[in-house]
């Protein structure tokens, strides 16, 4: 029984380590790449506008990466239910519409 408890502790420790590595990559590595990308654009162009656009684009990429699980679940739900939550529309089928004078031939 003691071995089973040690295995549960090892799994818990591994899960904690994976979560810490994920946070490190998300904050540390991606944050450093974000700053380096803006510095690279600034160094190449010396343009505040282009560096600002690079900052906005990088922020969008970081937001997508940070919310990857939410986006995955949303896309999965959209694929399972392509109609969404909108109510079905009522459709009326008309056989024939005659001319304005009412003459049907």
């Amino acid at each position: 029984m003691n071995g089973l408890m040690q295995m549960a502790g090892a799994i818990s420790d591994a899960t904690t380590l994976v979560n810490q590595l994920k946070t490190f990559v998300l904050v540390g590595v991606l944050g450093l790449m974000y700053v380096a990308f803006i510095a690279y654009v600034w160094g190449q162009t010396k343009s505040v506008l282009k560096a600002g656009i690079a900052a906005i684009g990088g922020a969008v990429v970081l937001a997508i990466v940070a919310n990857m699980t939410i986006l995955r679940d949303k896309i999965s739900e959209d694929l399972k239910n392509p109609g969404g939550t909108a109510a079905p529309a009522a459709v009326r089928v008309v056989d024939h519409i005659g001319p304005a004078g009412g003459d049907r031939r």
Side-chain angles (χ1 to χ4, degrees):
M1 190 66 157
N2 191 22
L4 188 60
M5 294 300 287
Q6 287 178 346
M7 183 60 108
I11 291 172
S12 175
D13 291 343
T15 303
T16 303
L17 180 64
V18 167
N19 287 336
Q20 289 175 350
L21 284 173
K22 180 181 169 185
T23 303
F24 170 73
V25 168
L26 185 63
V27 174
V29 175
L30 289 178
L32 183 62
M33 288 175 59
Y34 175 70
V35 172
F37 179 66
I38 295 169
Y40 174 76
V41 169
W42 170 256
Q44 292 292 319
T45 62
K46 301 290 188 227
S47 169
V48 174
L49 180 64
K50 290 182 181 180
I53 291 172
I56 292 170
V60 168
V61 170
L62 284 176
I64 290 171
V65 170
N67 297 311
M68 201 167 13
T69 55
I70 296 169
L71 293 173
R72 179 197 64 206
D73 295 341
K74 174 70 174 134
I75 291 170
S76 174
E77 185 65 29
D78 288 346
L79 289 175
K80 288 179 185 173
N81 300 325
T85 59
V91 177
R92 181 177 174 195
V93 179
V94 178
D95 288 340
H96 177 10
I97 299 176
D103 184 26
R104 278 183 135 178
R105 291 183 190 181

